[in-house]
Every structure is written in structure tokens, then in C-alpha cells.
Amino acid sequence: MKKYAYIFCTSCILLLSSFSSNLDCEYANSNMAFAKARIVEALQTEDINKARFYSYKALNALEKSKMQLDQCGCTLAREKMEENLENLIAATKSTTLIGTQNFLKKSLSITEDTMVVLAEHNTHNSIYANDLLAMNTNVKPTEHNIPTIVKEPSSLTEKIDQSLEKYRLSLNKVVETVDCKEAYVFAKRIFDECEQQLLKTNLSDGSKYYNLRTKEITQQALNKLGNCAKIAQSK
């Protein structure tokens, strides 16, 4: 396992400090997924203190997503965020488990709705989506449609994706050859670290993109482990 950990660590060197991008909706959605997981954990416990603890972690994740939502430009998602924060704050202050769970159920529903709204907003407003549409309709993009600054982010993301391809291959080898339980623990540790990194507000755009894509690649590996991972967790 040390060999694979080394391969991953050496591939995680940041390529550039920052670049312009239209990925803020994706970053916000990643944080929403983290918050959703904490809300689910809060709903699964019968201990009010634990429920409050997970509610606070979800609240903290959403608070850190405010700036990303503003940059994303999705007004509806921003409005839902405020409603969601109110429910989570109420969940942390409720004096009964039932009361906390009721607020959490509302928060879970709002979180899932927000994730859908963000996904749709990103599809409809992404510079990359507009670029793809232009190619599919054989319309040559104009300066108004595709700003010239898009070329630089595209170049950087290609370099990052190329670097992460080595990680993808090594992680797939881990999944295929290493004991299921060990492979799951290894991949889950990387996935959790990416989520924690994406919650930070001072990351450069390049670092955010790197962690977002690493998280996606690792999630694919976890999906491949499937039932094997569940059995490993239960042991």
C-alpha cells in the first residue's frame, strides 16, 4: 500500500496557483454532498448530542459554500441555502431528538433540491457547455460567446487531468489487486481528504479543481468495490 500511497502523493503537486474557471457550481455541489452525508448521519443516530454534532458539521459546510454560490451565480440555490441554514441552526438548538430530526428532514430535502438546481444551473450556464453546443451546431464561437481567457484554464485543466490519469490507473490497480478492505480504507481516506480540502475557503482555483477531480476518480473506485466494500465495513 505504501507504494500506491507514494504514487498518489507525488502526483498531487499543484501545477499552477490559480486560474479563471466556471466550476464554482461544481465546488458548491461538492460541499452540498458533504453536508448531505452529515445530515444523513444525524438522522440515523438516536443520540441528540450526536445529531447536533453532525448538524453543526453540515451547517459549517454550507456556510463555507456561500461565496462559491455567489460566484456560481445561481440565485435560486442561494435562496435555498438561507432557508437550509435556518433549519440546521434550529436543529442544533432543538431540545428534543424528535424536534432535531424534524428540522433535519427539512434540511435534507432542501439540500437535495439545491443539488439538483446547481447541477441544472451548471449545465445551462457553463462556458464549457456553451462551447460544446457551438461545436454540435457547427456554429463558430464568437468573441462574445467564448471569452479569450477560457484558453488558459482549459490548458491548465488538461494538465491536471493528465496528471490525475496516472492516479486513476494506480488506484484501479489497487482496486483490482489489493484486499478489498484495505483498498476501501485507502480510497475512502483519499476521498475524505478531498472533501475536507474542498471545504477550505482559501484554496486556489487550481487546487480546488485538482481535489474535485480526485474526489470524482476516487468515488468511481469506491463504486467499483461495491458490495465488497459494504462487507468489509461490516466486519
Side-chain angles (χ1 to χ4, degrees), residues 117 119 130 136 138 154 158 172 175 210 213 216:
V117 169
N130 292 339
N136 287 342
N138 295 319
S154 177
E158 287 176 2
N172 284 339
V175 171
Y210 197 103
R213 294 306 176 223
E216 292 176 353

Side-chain angles (χ1 to χ4, degrees), residues 171-172 174-176 178-185 187-188 217-235:
L171 186 58
N172 284 339
V174 170
V175 171
E176 294 169 0
V178 176
D179 174 76
C180 179
K181 185 175 181 179
E182 289 186 23
Y184 177 84
V185 171
K188 188 64 166 59
I217 293 171
T218 310
Q219 180 63 68
Q220 292 170 1
L222 290 170
N223 291 341
K224 288 181 180 179
L225 289 170
N227 293 331
C228 176
K230 294 179 180 178
I231 295 173
Q233 283 181 291
S234 63
K235 290 183 178 179

